[in-house]
Amino acid sequence: MPLFGSPVDGDIYPDNPEECDVVNPPGFEFPGPAERSAWVVRQRPDRNVQRRALRMDRAAGWIEEREPDGSGVHRRVVTVFLTNRECPWRCLMCDLWQHTTLETVPAGAIAAQIGGVLEVAPAPEVIKLYNAGSFFDPGAIPPSDHESIANLVRSIPRVVVECHPLLVGPRVRTFSQRLRGSRLEVALGLESVHAEVLERLNKGMTVEDFVRAAGILRAMEVEVRAFVLVKPPFLGDGEALEWAVRSARVAFESGAGVVSLIPTRMGNGSLEVLARHGHFAEPSLDLLEDVVDRVVGLGGGRVFVDLWDLARFGAGAPQFAARRARLEAMNLSQQILPRITLPA
């Protein structure tokens, strides 16, 4: 599937993303590619009432963080969670759709959301515009808004957006040019370089698509950040560790300056089904620590582990607070710190 002229240039959104006519077979059989998107949607909890109530002129939320840059200087980061339409891909593990609208937001809404956050947030050195999908998906963020968005953020030194590899193309270059002095960074979901697992995640891409997209971005002088899943479904702990490290290595070798490690969480319905049938379990805190240590040890670039809701993976684990603090310190120092001594 080519990167330019991607499927989103047509209309690949279903008329009603909550309606599917595929019936699950008796017992459990993982659906094939043709049925998978409909199956994923059928497993979802009902969130339509909340989704219809979303304010399109208001961001879903924002947070302030600290993140070291490539020189080790800690930068003030404001992450804005934009309210917009659901991503057209129905990824097996993704629960971000719960905070999206059922239709494309009107022109001007995204700029209004960003402007509203910037009025109250401390002046950032980095702004992340995360929209639970792809910034360059015209069904999510109207391209007519790109100029006004660029006007709002071009005084911020670094602007980070997320994008599906198949949507990397001319719109990226145009937006980057509109930022003028600001540096654009595009976050791509690699997830896993295990070919069978990646295909089953229903992301609609291959590892080669990621590598190609990263190369196009680097040729545009746009920086690359990669998301890698820790323990996606269909992998045991030992396999999950090795494939997370392999995935991070491929990301770095493809030109990514940052790898963000994301523990795979239930919440979409699909993973709960897989868990009941023995095909998925959330990663343990032990596994997460092992992955972080190994990936930081690659020395390929900056490594950040997602600490949101970390308690679900290890609240009952020995020395949980100290172990969480260690991971947070590693995010900031980019160094492998001594493991916390656990009781015998």
Side-chain angles (χ1 to χ4, degrees), residues 33-310:
E35 299 84 22
R36 196 169 301 148
S37 292
W39 182 85
V40 167
V41 172
R42 287 180 62 86
Q43 312 315 311
R44 292 175 170 180
D46 185 1
R47 296 286 186 268
N48 275 7
V49 172
Q50 300 95 311
R51 294 174 73 188
R52 290 192 180 99
L54 290 171
R55 286 272 303 271
M56 294 191 184
D57 62 343
R58 182 178 298 171
W62 65 275
I63 57 173
E64 182 183 2
E65 307 170 276
R66 292 277 175 171
E67 187 176 285
D69 63 14
S71 302
V73 178
H74 291 182
R75 300 297 183 183
R76 185 168 54 255
V77 181
V78 168
T79 302
V80 184
F81 301 104
L82 299 171
T83 301
N84 69 149
R85 187 172 182 166
E86 178 184 352
C87 174
W89 285 276
R90 305 292 187 253
C91 295
L92 188 69
M93 69 294 179
C94 180
D95 63 357
L96 298 177
W97 59 270
Q98 299 182 66
H99 310 289
T100 61
T101 62
L102 294 173
E103 56 189 32
T104 301
V105 298
I110 299 298
Q113 293 178 35
I114 297 169
V117 171
L118 291 177
E119 286 179 0
V120 296
E125 297 170 282
V126 179
I127 188 167
K128 297 178 183 177
L129 303 176
Y130 284 175
N131 67 302
S134 298
F135 185 86
F136 299 103
D137 172 5
I141 297 180
S144 60
D145 274 12
H146 286 187
E147 180 64 35
S148 56
I149 293 170
N151 289 339
L152 284 167
V153 301
R154 67 164 55 106
S155 63
I156 301 170
R158 181 176 297 272
V159 178
V160 185
V161 302
E162 54 190 345
C163 187
H164 191 286
L166 295 184
L167 294 180
V168 170
R171 290 191 186 103
V172 181
R173 183 189 301 277
T174 301
F175 185 72
S176 179
Q177 292 169 341
R178 284 172 168 158
L179 290 175
R180 298 177 189 169
S182 297
R183 188 77 174 172
L184 180 63
E185 180 177 318
V186 174
L188 303 174
L190 172 58
E191 320 305 358
S192 177
V193 296
H194 189 297
E196 183 178 359
V197 169
L198 182 58
E199 190 278 330
R200 288 187 165 202
L201 290 178
N202 204 43
K203 197 172 175 68
M205 56 165 274
T206 64
V207 176
E208 291 73 22
D209 290 327
F210 172 90
V211 173
R212 190 180 305 116
I216 292 171
L217 291 171
R218 297 306 297 133
M220 294 178 180
E221 298 186 345
V222 171
E223 297 186 17
V224 179
R225 178 177 299 234
F227 295 123
V228 168
L229 292 176
V230 177
K231 202 179 180 187
F234 310 107
L235 294 179
D237 281 2
E239 294 175 311
L241 172 60
E242 292 305 320
W243 283 101
V245 175
R246 291 189 196 186
S247 301
R249 182 179 290 112
V250 168
F252 286 136
E253 291 175 349
S254 300
V258 175
V259 165
S260 291
L261 297 170
I262 313 295
T264 310
R265 304 174 175 89
M266 288 190 278
N268 193 30
S270 301
L271 293 185
E272 282 81 347
V273 173
L274 294 180
R276 288 197 297 270
H277 292 274
H279 298 299
F280 175 69
E282 293 183 334
S284 65
L285 183 57
D286 290 343
L287 174 61
L288 189 59
E289 289 181 300
D290 289 342
V291 170
V292 174
D293 289 356
R294 289 275 302 276
V295 175
V296 172
L298 293 175
R302 286 171 289 157
V303 178
F304 302 115
V305 57
D306 181 8
L307 298 178
W308 177 80
D309 202 22
L310 185 69

